[in-house]
Structures are given as structure tokens and as C-alpha cells.
Amino acid sequence: MNSLFDFGRIFLGLVFVFSVAGKVHRPAAFRAFRQSVISLAPPLRGAATPVSALVVVAEASSALTLALPATAPVGLTLSVVLVTSFTAALVVALRRRTATACGCFGDSSSPVAPRHIARNAVLLLAAGGGLIGWAAGAPGAGRLSAGLILVSGLAAVLAVVTATLDDIVSLIGIVPRSATHHRVHAAVTVRSVTRADGV
């Protein structure tokens, strides 16, 4: 149970660190994330900037609380809320069949796809496992040991894979980046022309 708890908090903590860094490492990245918020949730267009900032703050808060075993249960619970909300938005986008870019880790040009839902399912499983480990006691969680080092290494590798999933998929040729970029660009262009024509 210690391993479940430690894996969940370390894995999710690193994923949120990568997510926050991807959104704020440069102004253009945050603007791209803001645009993805508008595309995924059109009713939030008028409040896109504060909502985007709130998401970043919530993710940063999750990462901070997950860093310490004592506060990790709060971070795991917040993770469940955040990932569930993100997943709901992605499902709606998929059902609309629009080429909306997923800004989960910054200014990615990859449109929302079933793999993003699967990725979030893994995150929810990790959070659930972490909460189960905590509920079972996990008295030695966070204590330096060979087990914790192994769990931390595995969590770090999987966090990197999670954060770079779109790049990995592009690299192996499942979704060519150029084609993906053109689809997203075309969708943005159509929306821009539609607004310009007053439709």
C-alpha cells in the first residue's frame, strides 16, 4: 500500500509539474492554452483568461500538496477533480468531432483524440490507487528506502511518457505532425472566417 500511495503522489505530482511548465514557460504557451480553453468550452470565452490562470494555479497547488506525504491526500483528491473536469471537456470535444487542439501540456498542435481520454484514465487510476494506499494506512509512505527509490524512478519515467505522449505518437508516425498542424490550422481559419463574415 505504501507503493500505491507513493507512486500515485509522485507520478501525478510530476505530471502536474510538466503540465504547469508547459503552459507558462513562455507567453505564447499560455496564450495557446487559453485558446484551447475557448475551443474546448466556448461558453467560457468571456472568462477564458481567469479560467486558464485558475487551472494553472490548481495544477500547481496539486503538485505542491503531492510533494509531501502529509498533504498528498489533498493533492490526490484535487487531482481527481481536475482530471475528471478535463476529461469531461475532452469527451465533449470528441463528440463534436472538431479539430480542437489539446492544450493539456502547453502549445501542442495535436487535436483531441481518444488517446487523451486514455491518458486521463491512467491519471485517475493513479490517483485512485494513491487514495486507496493512503486509506489503508501507508504508515511508512515517504520514508527513504529502496522501494521508494524504485517507485520514484518508475513514476518519473511514466510521467515523462505521459507529458510527451503527443510527441511520441508523432515520432512513431501514427499521427504525422504536419497533418495534425494543418487540420488544427484549418479549423482555426474556418472559425476566423466565419466570425469575420458575421455568421
Side-chain angles (χ1 to χ4, degrees):
M1 289 302 175
N2 286 355
S3 296
L4 271 178
F5 178 67
D6 284 327
F7 175 81
R9 71 182 184 85
I10 294 170
F11 171 61
L12 287 165
L14 289 173
V15 167
F16 281 123
V17 166
F18 291 139
S19 181
V20 171
K23 293 180 177 74
V24 303
H25 71 285
R26 57 194 178 94
F30 183 78
R31 288 196 297 270
F33 172 59
R34 178 184 177 279
Q35 182 57 48
S36 72
V37 169
I38 294 173
S39 299
L40 290 170
L44 297 177
R45 177 180 296 275
T49 298
V51 168
S52 301
L54 181 61
V55 169
V56 171
V57 170
E59 290 183 332
S61 298
S62 292
L64 288 173
T65 52
L66 288 166
L68 298 175
T71 57
V74 175
L76 290 168
T77 303
L78 182 55
S79 298
V80 171
V81 173
L82 284 171
V83 177
T84 300
S85 300
F86 298 157
T87 304
L90 294 177
V91 168
V92 170
L94 277 177
R95 293 185 64 180
R96 292 203 313 258
R97 300 181 181 226
T98 57
T100 300
C102 176
C104 304
F105 290 92
D107 50 351
S108 170
S109 60
S110 297
V112 174
R115 68 177 178 275
H116 298 124
I117 306 296
R119 178 178 64 190
N120 284 5
V122 172
L123 298 180
L124 287 173
L125 284 174
L131 287 171
I132 290 172
W134 169 72
R143 186 178 302 165
L144 185 61
S145 65
L148 177 59
I149 293 173
L150 180 61
V151 166
S152 299
L154 177 61
V157 171
L158 292 180
V160 171
V161 171
T162 300
T164 60
L165 179 62
D166 286 336
D167 293 327
I168 293 172
V169 169
S170 273
L171 185 63
I172 63 179
I174 294 177
V175 180
R177 181 173 294 277
S178 59
T180 295
H181 175 75
H182 289 321
R183 286 202 302 273
V184 174
H185 179 71
V188 172
T189 301
V190 169
R191 286 198 297 269
S192 299
V193 171
T194 301
R195 287 199 298 269
D197 290 342
V199 178

